[in-house]
Amino acid sequence: MRLDQLSAAITLICYAVLPCYAAGHGRRAVDAYAPQRATCPTSSIVRPASSLATGEAQYITARKVIADPALASWLKKVNDTFDTSLLPTLGLAGSSGGYRALLNEAGILQAMDARDSNSSVHGLYQAFIYHAALSGGGWLATSLAAWNWPTISYLQKTVYEPNLQNGLLLPGGFYAPLAYAQTLADVTAQAAAGYPVTAGDIYGRLLGYNLFPGPDGGVALTMSGLTSSANFTGHKVPYPIITSTGTNASSSGNCTEPPDATQYEYTPHEFGSWDKGVNSFVQMSYLGSNLTNGMVHGKCASGFDNLGFVTASTSNVFGFLCDPLYSSAGDFASLADALQSAILEVAGPASSGLFNEIPNSFLEYTHASAVSSAKLLTFGDGDLSLQNDPIKNTFLQAEAQGLTKMPTIPPTSTFVAEALGTQARFFGCKQPNTITIVWLPLVSYSSSAGSDISTFDIEVSEANTDSIIRNGNLIATQNNDLQWPTCLACAISMKTAKSLPAACDACFAKHFVS
């Protein structure tokens, strides 16, 4: 289907296919997307950001019991002289970049997964406590979660190879018209239930058909529902955090994000931000509830935290289209136009915005001064506020918010002058009160990998999917560098070990950034 025909096709489906399809087959799926009313808990569902959520803290404690032995085993496998008496908490962070990020990071994770690889770093994935991600990296994290954290090999054959070649435009391939019809029925039901609907909702449903299980694109999956997944309840996987950036967007067309835009996070337990202007969290299962100063009006919302919606919220880069430099973003620009046209058909001009919108859980809430007057919060990709690699602006924003655990990141000019993007780099090694960041830049190790595809590419061939994942394997092993496992182990251990092997000196000389 040609892109310039997409909007007309969606409109045609809305009028000609939707009534019979929704009436005959779509009732369960429609109800699954539209939030329902639920009885609220007796305790408050909003809290100030003074500590981890109880559920998250309990998960991390239980996860560390499993992850620490895995880390100790991996370190001893690399070099049996590593001190494992005290072990750090490891987190995996996935960057943005659309399908490029999804597939390269899938390859990195695959190489580190003891279930799926015999690489020099296999077994390290089992030691991670957290998996934080955004945008294309968020697509990897949510697709893993949606399928109950299988191997990458499984997702590659079952999901990525067949679905990404169709891309966002032909969900379900031949069955795309039915998927469009159901998607429009879903968002129409949400609008009828009185909740905001934007192009971000349709975008999320299309991503669901691309990444999630079931013939309906995983429409019933929610972020809070991940707490009942078998691998989650068994604490067998890293705790997922999906991040998104608060925008100044509105349905009137303003779609800018300042460099100091608020950073929000979605976890299976809560939604909110540690930033000074929000400094609050709401229970994830009740996201979308009508709240004033932390008090619920009537019943709570249930099911607003649709997993596809969350996946769209972290990767919604449609705001780029307001910049003339991106007006020719090809297929992606046409996709945005088609989504807006579809929303106009089903929800009217009052809901024609490009970004994802959520009823503000922090309306008139004392701790959330920056957003306390907003009835809706709008969200988009962090790239729109320059939260991209190199990660200098992220460091500056963390510093401005008083978040002191991130190590110093040099300016972009240093990255260029010293060619820091050519191999793995360590940040924070000499800053004892910060975390250590091991940065794995995207490097195309094979001319046939095709790994540096555009963020705006909305389909990837099966062959390219496989080659990009293989390139991710090579990123994880630094192109099969025999010294890399030792160097990685040195970076992991340096702030907790009583002493380090002598080989670490050469590793720090090669990879450390002062």
Side-chain angles (χ1 to χ4, degrees), residues 39 42 47 60 130 135 151 173 175 193 210 220 243 319 353 460 482 499 504 506:
T39 301
T42 55
R47 69 174 184 89
I60 297 311
Y130 282 101
S135 192
T151 64
Y175 296 101
N210 237 214
T243 66
V460 186
L482 296 179
S499 62
C504 289

Side-chain angles (χ1 to χ4, degrees), residues 127-193:
F128 285 109
I129 306 290
Y130 282 101
H131 183 183
L134 78 162
S135 192
W139 296 357
L140 172 63
T142 57
S143 59
L144 280 166
W147 291 86
N148 191 27
W149 289 273
T151 64
I152 294 301
S153 290
Y154 178 85
L155 289 178
Q156 182 175 350
K157 296 300 180 184
T158 306
V159 183
Y160 301 151
E161 286 182 354
N163 291 353
L164 301 194
Q165 63 184 341
N166 295 323
L168 293 175
L169 298 180
L170 291 173
F174 177 78
Y175 296 101
L178 296 182
Y180 284 134
Q182 187 60 70
T183 294
L184 291 171
D186 292 335
V187 298
T188 299
Q190 171 146 319

Side-chain angles (χ1 to χ4, degrees), residues 255-321:
C255 54
T256 61
E257 288 186 30
D260 62 348
T262 301
Q263 300 296 307
Y264 290 87
E265 62 183 52
Y266 301 82
T267 77
H269 293 105
E270 287 189 326
F271 165 81
S273 177
W274 299 95
D275 284 13
K276 293 176 182 176
V278 176
N279 196 39
S280 306
F281 287 90
V282 61
Q283 290 181 30
M284 181 59 72
S285 56
Y286 300 113
L287 186 68
S289 298
N290 185 12
L291 297 162
T292 302
N293 194 24
M295 303 298 294
V296 180
H297 301 290
K299 289 192 172 184
C300 283
S302 174
F304 189 92
D305 59 324
N306 177 271
L307 193 61
F309 179 86
V310 172
T311 306
S313 177
T314 189
S315 60
N316 190 326
V317 295
F318 294 128
F320 273 135
L321 303 176

Side-chain angles (χ1 to χ4, degrees), residues 6 199 318 321 331-342 354:
L6 177 60
F318 294 128
L321 303 176
D331 290 355
F332 201 85
S334 298
L335 174 62
D337 289 341
L339 296 186
Q340 270 199 309
S341 296
L354 287 169

Side-chain angles (χ1 to χ4, degrees), residues 436-458:
T436 299
I437 293 179
V438 176
W439 181 56
L440 301 178
L442 169 61
V443 177
S444 294
Y445 285 105
S446 170
S447 59
S448 62
S451 56
D452 198 16
I453 61 176
S454 170
T455 297
F456 296 108
D457 284 351
I458 58 176

